[in-house]
């Protein structure tokens, strides 16, 4: 198993909206075409995005031409949140990539006020209708993830059936699944509320399959730890996550929207996650509890299938 990536420092962090917006830009650019093709399609916008002129391909360092294609490395630096973002430029790029105007407006607002430039605060709320999709893109872009949620499993470990079955308030919320692929399992540390092993979500069969998926994630390198019953209260307002993206730490509070933090604003989340991790059971004991829950829900599903549920 490869050694875990070093944890980025909190110092020098860009505004969180810049990170989220550039992840969205990269996602839409890759949907639109290759980095080379996207740069060729919007050279003036990409040049304008940099605080200093971008060097074009096959052109001496220090010279520029807004009519030429900027290098792949320039596009890459933009998408790693290394440049301040002009909201006008974000809108131009998203338009070039064929993004729906309403979605482009949501992403642009994360970057800044089109009349006043980039936001400079270290906290921003993504309340747009597609916030869940943008958070998923950030999770997919992260090199490491540490996550905790009360009462329900964190979204990145959910199976599609478990995610579909979750009810929030008076309505069932159906969203695109956010589970990490198995090839990314080694990047994940998931801290589970003991309650998630005690009661079914949807049906016993769905929850048994979900427990088996947790075991598969563990077998592929994920660190999954259970907080024991009777442990200290940790966090009671949705989920908390720490994502390492583009050598920066992005902190997320999730409930009915996503609230992002960077820099010193992330310290309370570090404290929450550190406390949860310190209170959690060791890896092997946690695995045994998950395996026992899988067996229990599987037996319950079998009884339900033969009319013996509740016997």
């Amino acid at each position: 198993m490869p050694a875990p990536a070093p944890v980025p420092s909190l110092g020098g962090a860009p505004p969180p909206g810049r990170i989220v917006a550039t992840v969205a830009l990269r996602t839409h650019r890759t949907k639109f075409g290759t980095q080379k093709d996207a740069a060729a399609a919007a050279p003036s916008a990409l040049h304008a995005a940099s605080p200093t002129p971008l060097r074009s391909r096959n052109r001496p360092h220090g010279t520029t031409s807004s009519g030429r294609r900027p290098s792949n490395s320039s596009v890459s630096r933009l998408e790693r949140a290394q440049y301040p973002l002009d909201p006008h430029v974000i809108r131009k790029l998203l338009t070039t990539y064929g993004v729906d105007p309403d979605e482009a407006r949501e992403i642009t607002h994360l970057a800044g006020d089109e009349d006043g430039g980039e936001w400079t605060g270290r906290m921003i709320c993504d309340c747009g209708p597609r916030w869940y999709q943008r958070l998923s893109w950030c999770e997919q872009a992260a090199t490491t993830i540490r996550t905790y949620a009360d009462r329900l499993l964190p979204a990145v470990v959910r199976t599609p059936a478990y995610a579909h079955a979750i009810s929030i308030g008076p309505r069932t919320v159906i969203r695109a699944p956010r589970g990490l692929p198995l090839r990314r399992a080694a990047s994940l540390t998931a801290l589970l509320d003991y309650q998630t092993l005690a009661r079914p979500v949807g049906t016993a069969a769905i929850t048994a399959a979900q427990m088996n998926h947790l075991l598969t994630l563990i077998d592929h390198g994920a660190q999954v730890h259970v907080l024991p019953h009777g442990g200290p209260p940790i966090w009671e307002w949705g989920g908390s996550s720490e994502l390492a993206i583009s050598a920066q730490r992005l902190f997320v509070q999730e409930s009915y929207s996503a609230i992002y933090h960077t820099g010193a604003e992330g310290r309370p989340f570090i404290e929450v996650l550190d406390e949860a991790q310190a209170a959690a059971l060791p890896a092997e004991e946690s695995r045994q509890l998950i395996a026992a829950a899988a067996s229990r829900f599987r037996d319950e599903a079998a009884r339900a299938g033969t009319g013996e549920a509740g016997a």
Side-chain angles (χ1 to χ4, degrees):
M1 184 185 304
V7 177
S9 167
L10 292 180
R18 184 194 302 178
I19 297 176
V20 180
T22 52
V23 168
L25 276 175
R26 181 165 65 249
T27 301
H28 282 298
R29 188 262 303 158
T30 54
K31 290 179 180 179
F32 175 76
T34 65
Q35 188 176 75
K36 176 179 177 181
D37 293 338
S44 60
L46 288 166
H47 276 274
S50 172
T52 57
L54 301 180
R55 184 167 60 91
S56 300
R57 280 184 173 276
N58 304 318
R59 193 171 177 85
H61 185 77
T63 61
T64 62
S65 170
S66 60
R68 295 186 180 225
R69 183 174 70 235
S71 68
N72 286 0
S73 63
S74 296
V75 179
S76 178
R77 289 195 303 274
L78 172 70
E79 293 180 352
R80 292 200 303 269
Q82 294 182 356
Y83 298 141
L85 297 181
D86 183 333
H88 290 286
V89 172
I90 298 298
R91 181 66 66 86
K92 289 178 182 178
L93 286 170
L94 292 171
T95 299
T96 298
Y97 300 158
V99 177
D100 174 83
D102 289 337
E103 182 180 359
R105 192 176 304 111
E106 294 171 27
I107 296 171
T108 301
H109 184 71
L110 289 172
D113 182 346
E114 287 199 70
D115 295 325
E118 184 179 51
W119 306 124
T120 58
R122 293 299 184 267
M123 179 185 78
I124 194 165
C125 180
D126 186 355
C127 302
R130 284 159 282 259
W131 71 268
Y132 200 79
Q133 181 66 75
R134 286 186 286 274
L135 177 51
S136 174
W137 291 340
C138 288
E139 290 164 340
Q140 297 297 327
T143 53
T144 62
I145 299 174
R146 186 167 58 146
T147 184
Y148 167 76
D150 69 319
R151 300 182 180 88
L152 294 168
L153 293 173
V156 291
V157 303
R158 296 173 188 166
T159 63
Y162 184 99
H164 183 91
I166 289 173
S167 176
I168 299 178
R171 61 191 179 90
T172 298
V173 177
I174 302 175
R175 296 168 173 154
R178 279 168 42 198
L180 286 183
L182 292 180
R183 69 178 184 277
R184 295 281 319 283
S187 69
L188 175 65
T189 298
L191 308 169
L192 311 184
D193 190 316
Y194 73 91
Q195 296 179 79
T196 60
L197 308 186
R199 62 169 184 263
V201 169
T203 65
I206 287 173
T207 311
Q210 173 66 74
M211 295 298 115
N212 287 329
H213 179 64
L214 291 175
L215 296 174
T216 302
L217 285 171
I218 293 171
D219 291 341
H220 282 75
Q223 294 294 313
V224 181
H225 298 270
V226 178
L227 276 72
H229 176 64
I234 304 296
W235 190 251
E236 298 181 354
W237 300 281
S240 297
S241 299
E242 175 185 35
L243 314 177
I245 301 176
S246 301
Q248 299 292 345
R249 293 164 86 176
L250 182 67
F251 302 92
V252 191
Q253 177 185 348
E254 177 186 351
S255 56
Y256 296 97
S257 62
I259 303 176
Y260 296 99
H261 307 254
T262 53
E265 291 282 346
R267 293 192 187 281
F269 294 87
I270 296 174
E271 293 174 3
V272 166
L273 292 165
D274 283 351
E275 184 178 355
Q277 194 161 357
L281 297 171
E284 184 55 35
E285 187 173 354
S286 295
R287 193 187 196 287
Q288 292 173 4
L289 288 174
I290 295 167
S295 178
R296 186 173 66 254
F297 287 121
R298 186 167 54 248
D299 290 345
E300 183 179 335
R303 290 194 300 272
T306 58
E308 299 177 7

